Amino acid sequence: AAAALGAAAAPAVAEEPKTEWKRLRQIQYIAALGDPNANSGLGAENWGLWRKDPGPRGVRLYNYDKLKQRGGLAPAQWQFDDKDWWLEEHGLIMEKPEFPMPPGKYLVTGDREVTTTLTVSEKDEKGVQKWSLGDNAKLYDVTHLPCRSARYTPQGNGGCEPDTELEIQFPVAPGAVMPPQKGCKKVDYAVLFILGVAA
C-alpha cells in the first residue's frame, strides 16, 4: 500500500510524443542561412526548398549563351532570372529554390554523422520564421559539405550575368566559398538533405 501511495504521489512527467516520419522517395534540398555553430535561430523565411535535385536540371556556364537564346528557358523547363540566379559547386546554373521554407518538421542530414529533426515555425506577425534542430545538433552538423550553392543578384543598377571568367573557377572544394561575379552581390547558402517529413 505504501508503495502504491508513493507511486500515486510521484509527479507525472509528460513525454514529448515521438515524431512519425513519412520518408521521401527522393531527397529534397534546403538552402539555409545561419551561424554554422547555431542550434536554432531566426530567418528561416530566407531559406529555400528544392523539391527536386537542381543539379541534374542545371545548365553549364559555357551554355549560358544558348540559355539566353532560348529566352532563359532551361531544357528542364525552368526559367532563368538574370536578376536572381543560382550556381552549384560544379558551375551549373540552377533553378531558384521555393521561398519561403514551408513550416513543419523535417528529418534532415548532411550525409555525414548526424540525422535529426529540423523544426521550422510559422511566420510571426513580422513575417519571421524560427528554426531549431533536435539532439543539440548544429547547423554545420547537418550541412552537406560537398554541395555548395550561391545566389547572385545585381549590385547597384548594373548588370549581373555569369561570364567565362567565372566558369574557370569551378569546381569548388567541399566547404569552400563560391566565387564572386563582377557586378553581383553573392550570398553563400548551406545545403541540407531532407529525408522525411512529419507524418
Side-chain angles (χ1 to χ4, degrees), residues 25-102:
R25 290 184 178 182
Q26 293 184 324
I27 292 173
Q28 296 182 2
Y29 305 83
I30 297 173
L33 291 173
D35 179 352
N37 293 313
N39 167 259
S40 62
L42 305 175
E45 71 278 5
N46 298 313
W47 292 17
L49 171 66
W50 285 288
R51 296 185 186 272
K52 296 180 180 178
D53 187 347
R57 296 165 55 82
V59 175
R60 293 280 178 188
L61 278 168
Y62 59 71
N63 285 326
Y64 176 59
D65 286 341
K66 291 182 181 178
L67 182 64
K68 283 202 295 185
Q69 290 169 10
R70 290 170 55 97
L73 184 65
Q77 301 301 300
W78 55 268
Q79 187 66 39
F80 175 78
D81 181 351
D82 62 3
K83 293 181 173 57
D84 184 0
W85 48 275
W86 291 69
L87 285 179
E88 55 90 84
E89 70 275 7
H90 296 106
L92 283 163
I93 304 169
M94 299 187 292
E95 62 196 293
K96 298 179 192 178
E98 172 187 325
F99 286 100
M101 185 70 195

Side-chain angles (χ1 to χ4, degrees), residues 83 154-160 183:
K83 293 181 173 57
Q155 194 167 36
N157 298 321
C160 172

